[in-house]
Amino acid sequence: MKGTLTHMSKTTSSSLPESWDLETDVVVVGSGFAAFVAAAVARARGSEVIMLEADDEVGGMMRISSGEYWVPNNPKMREAGIPDPKADCLKLMARLSYPTHYNPSSPTLGLSERAYQLFETYYDTATVAVEELAVIGAMGSVFSDGVTPDAVFNPTGHIEYHSELEENKVEYGRAMMAETGGIHGPGQGQSTIDLLFAHSQRAGIDVRTGHRVEQAYVNAGREVVGVLAATATGSVTVAARRGVIFASGGFFHDEAMRLQLLRGTVWGVTAPKANTGVFLKIAQSLGAMTENTDSLWWGQMAVEEVRDVHRSDNMAFWLWGDSMVLVNRHGHRVVNEKAHYNERGRIHSVFDATTKSYENNILFQVYDDALAHNDEMGVKYPVPYPGQPWDLVVSGNTWDELADAIDERLAKLAADTGGVRLAPDFASNLSDTVRRFNGFAETGVDEDFGRGTAPGERGYSVLGLTRGVNRTMYPFADSGPYHAVLLGAAGFDTNGGPSINPDAQVIDWDCEPIPGLYGAGNCVGAPGHGAYWSGGATLGNALVWAYRAAVHASGQTAKEL
Ligand SMILES: Cc1cc2nc3c(=O)[nH]c(=O)nc-3n(C[C@H](O)[C@H](O)[C@H](O)COP(=O)(O)OP(=O)(O)OC[C@H]3O[C@@H](n4cnc5c(N)ncnc54)[C@H](O)[C@@H]3O)c2cc1C
């Protein structure tokens, strides 16, 4: 070993290898969207790049993603004459990310200097990043396609998720996707990865699968200069002269971190199993500031599907159905069922001060038989298509029978749920809830939660539903059978971790960068504080911070190895 052993932990070592197995300018950890963007940009700026992926396949979560990224004031908007002034866009971002601090008349909109700078950087960088990726031949970008709130196809994308807010001055155009010839939806993520992988091979990027990074090396100057990766045939040390960019996803699949950092029960994620938070451990051992570590990109999943495996390709994005409500164990609605997934997923961890419990830990999506037999195509999960048997669906001919069937299920799941059961008056409350809901469906006005008011909700959740005055609601049938699925908090992945500065450098608690260490995508403490600014927010963040990291690392002089 070279030098004196000053610090050695499972995750960082200041004892450098005598000789490195591999040497390069920039090491990128992971091979999802953030990783490929970082690698492409660093390579184009003259860096030698090695990508290290733990899995046997490249692509990360992007393999199953719909592949849309949020790019304010993007080139296609400018071409189409859709204005998106920076001041307005920053207000929207600030309002969504820090609703209790937001102040439109403050120079930083009520945010800390650092948060405000990150938002400015996002706005300034996203459009530059898509332009540069196109110029270097890695990936062209076009408008993501979508539908309007009236379910009419719209070539400039779908409506912004939060278009009802007064701070949102743009309705369509910020959502982009890679120019693959595909459409926004299943398959688009894989096609994007195919494009980026093909480019990486043309550009001479060394992509290595089956390399699980476990440790970082720091030199005598406390600079991160390499990593150690475990492979099927032993460990490999890889030196990084200019920087190590982590794009290794969240920490959800590390059970201890999940239990210690998250509140309530989060049942599962769509993230790859390899995402176990090694970056967070490495960065913390080097003194990194962390943020947002109790957070995910939220959604909901069928509890019974994921309670053992904690992973699924499916997530309940927009709850499908018109004659449908979501109720708690008392039979009461607790949320606008058509609210956006990131908002809806958060209601499960609301603590009840009276019962001293998470009363929403499990919620019940209840629907009638007309929906069960609706054979329109659409994203219906967790409601199965007609004829598709799924034993996660609980049924009953009357509200009493449905209540008994749900409670029987809960009894079977007791070991995983803290023993939660239905309240004794669930069936009668549910019957009242449905009667009240039916009245709202007749008038088209949901007096309790405003369901179907926001254009964003309608734009995403009414496909195939044409029956009601307000297409998000329709009265339940007078007689059963009725059905239910047990839903719990879930998400794409965690989105908390080490804090970054506008160059995507990991910073310590004094906001000083830890030299050589960068992060992008779901592995960092989300600069947007967990807000889902609109469709494409997670991949937009991956794009921006991967780009910034690659530009900064490529501009560094070689460090001492
Ligand atoms: C159905 C679906 C649709 C979606 N649609 C959209 C959308 O349209 N827009 C949007 O913004 N988001 C969408 N998302 C979410 C989005 O796809 C993810 O947030 C995003 O792909 C995450 O990218 P990432 O690069 O940060 O991380 P990941 O894709 O999770 O990549 C991390 C990579 O790092 C590897 N890794 C982990 N640990 C190590 C280690 N120690 N060593 C080496 N490698 C390691 C993993 O194997 C993985 O390949 C969707 C998700 C799903 C499931």
Side-chain angles (χ1 to χ4, degrees):
M1 293 284 181
K2 215 191 263 181
T4 321
L5 181 71
T6 52
H7 174 74
M8 174 81 87
S9 77
K10 276 188 176 166
T11 49
T12 52
S13 167
S14 60
S15 172
L16 304 184
E18 285 293 345
S19 64
W20 297 89
D21 296 315
L22 297 166
E23 259 189 60
T24 190
D25 292 320
V26 174
V27 166
V28 176
V29 184
S31 70
F33 186 64
F36 271 114
V37 168
V41 173
R43 185 75 194 101
R45 288 176 176 248
S47 295
E48 276 179 17
V49 181
I50 295 180
M51 291 173 71
L52 300 173
E53 165 58 51
D55 209 344
D56 293 333
E57 275 181 82
V58 297
M61 204 190 315
M62 191 64 160
R63 287 203 296 265
I64 55 169
S65 173
S66 305
E68 164 180 288
Y69 30 93
W70 193 69
V71 184
N73 192 33
N74 65 57
K76 294 287 172 196
M77 291 172 83
R78 296 198 298 272
E79 252 171 65
I82 305 171
D84 190 2
K86 181 169 173 177
D88 290 338
C89 187
L90 294 187
K91 281 183 188 162
L92 174 72
M93 294 162 78
R95 154 76 180 81
L96 287 166
S97 293
Y98 293 93
T100 55
H101 294 70
Y102 174 60
N103 173 4
S105 48
S106 135
T108 61
L109 301 174
L111 275 52
S112 71
E113 207 51 65
R114 179 178 155 260
Y116 185 76
Q117 267 180 16
L118 288 169
F119 286 16
E120 280 202 294
T121 305
Y122 188 104
Y123 179 93
D124 294 337
T125 305
T127 181
V128 173
V130 292
E131 279 169 333
E132 189 164 321
L133 286 164
V135 168
I136 65 177
M139 178 186 89
S141 293
V142 292
F143 282 133
S144 175
D145 49 51
V147 292
T148 67
D150 301 316
V152 175
F153 178 77
N154 182 16
T156 57
H158 42 65
I159 190 97
E160 286 279 300
Y161 281 5
H162 309 286
S163 67
E164 80 282 7
L165 293 182
E166 62 161 332
E167 289 81 11
N168 192 12
K169 307 295 185 203
V170 171
E171 283 192 305
Y172 299 97
R174 289 178 181 140
M176 303 198 89
M177 61 181 190
E179 192 170 14
T180 60
I183 57 167
H184 169 231
Q188 175 62 14
Q190 181 64 61
S191 307
T192 308
I193 287 298
D194 294 345
L195 268 188
L196 290 168
F197 178 70
H199 167 264
S200 73
Q201 299 309 287
R202 290 194 302 276
I205 294 167
D206 182 353
V207 183
R208 294 177 180 235
T209 54
H211 281 62
R212 176 173 187 76
V213 170
E214 294 185 335
Q215 205 177 45
Y217 291 102
V218 290
N219 65 15
R222 302 284 292 161
E223 299 169 313
V224 174
V225 291
V227 295
L228 177 137
T231 74
T233 52
S235 309
V236 176
T237 55
V238 189
R241 292 181 286 261
R242 297 184 180 176
V244 178
I245 302 175
F246 276 85
S248 50
F251 59 77
F252 187 83
H253 292 299
D254 182 285
E255 192 180 358
M257 292 171 96
R258 174 167 78 233
L259 289 176
Q260 283 163 221
L261 296 176
L262 303 179
R263 214 152 288 285
T265 303
V266 185
W267 298 88
V269 289
T270 52
K273 278 283 190 182
N275 293 6
T276 51
V278 71
F279 174 54
L280 178 53
K281 291 177 185 166
I282 288 173
Q284 276 184 321
S285 77
L286 295 171
M289 185 201 286
T290 58
E291 60 190 298
N292 218 36
T293 47
D294 62 349
S295 170
L296 279 87
W297 299 117
W298 295 99
Q300 294 171 310
M301 285 181 185
V303 169
E304 291 174 89
E305 184 195 358
V306 284
R307 74 189 169 103
D308 292 330
V309 292
H310 306 299
R311 199 202 157 268
S312 171
D313 283 358
N314 297 310
M315 194 172 89
F317 284 86
W318 305 87
L319 281 192
W320 179 80
D322 47 11
S323 44
M324 175 276 294
V325 289
L326 187 66
V327 297
N328 67 5
R329 57 180 284 272
H330 300 279
H332 296 141
R333 288 176 72 204
V334 291
V335 69
N336 170 1
E337 292 84 352
K338 299 294 175 182
H340 169 261
Y341 41 98
N342 194 57
E343 279 36 307
R344 246 177 34 245
R346 291 195 247 191
I347 56 157
H348 290 275
S349 52
V350 174
F351 189 74
D352 186 307
T354 306
T355 63
K356 302 176 204 329
S357 177
Y358 293 98
E359 291 290 304
N360 298 343
N361 180 14
I362 298 180
L363 295 174
F364 310 93
Q365 184 182 2
V366 177
Y367 54 97
D368 69 8
D369 213 41
L371 282 193
H373 286 97
N374 176 306
D375 59 4
E376 298 265 358
M377 291 305 288
V379 182
K380 296 182 173 180
Y381 173 88
V383 175
Y385 286 99
Q388 177 193 346
W390 216 30
D391 56 10
L392 307 188
V393 177
V394 181
S395 302
N397 285 317
T398 62
W399 297 124
D400 281 326
E401 274 186 31
L402 183 69
D404 288 346
I406 294 175
D407 203 44
E408 209 174 291
R409 276 298 163 94
L410 287 175
K412 284 190 193 145
L413 302 176
D416 292 329
T417 61
V420 66
R421 300 291 291 269
L422 291 187
D425 51 1
F426 175 87
S428 64
N429 287 346
L430 177 59
S431 167
D432 291 347
T433 295
V434 168
R435 193 171 314 118
R436 185 170 169 80
F437 171 83
N438 286 351
F440 298 158
E442 296 287 358
T443 60
V445 181
D446 173 6
E447 292 172 23
D448 293 339
F449 294 102
R451 172 160 151 180
T453 313
E457 297 166 19
R458 295 201 304 280
Y460 282 88
S461 63
V462 299
L463 278 182
L465 303 170
T466 53
R467 301 185 292 174
V469 200
N470 167 341
R471 291 172 56 200
T472 68
M473 301 193 283
Y474 194 75
F476 276 67
D478 291 339
S479 56
Y482 302 112
H483 311 278
V485 180
L486 282 57
L487 289 186
F492 292 143
D493 202 352
T494 54
N495 59 9
S499 303
I500 54 170
N501 68 12
D503 288 314
Q505 292 176 287
V506 175
I507 52 175
D508 66 18
W509 288 94
D510 295 320
C511 291
E512 293 298 325
I514 297 170
L517 188 62
Y518 301 82
N522 294 346
C523 65
V524 299
H529 210 56
Y532 215 106
W533 294 320
S534 188
T538 88
L539 291 170
N541 272 288
L543 170 86
V544 165
W545 307 112
Y547 177 87
R548 297 292 299 185
V551 170
H552 193 269
S554 295
Q556 300 304 295
T557 50
K559 298 180 178 57
E560 194 179 322
L561 299 177

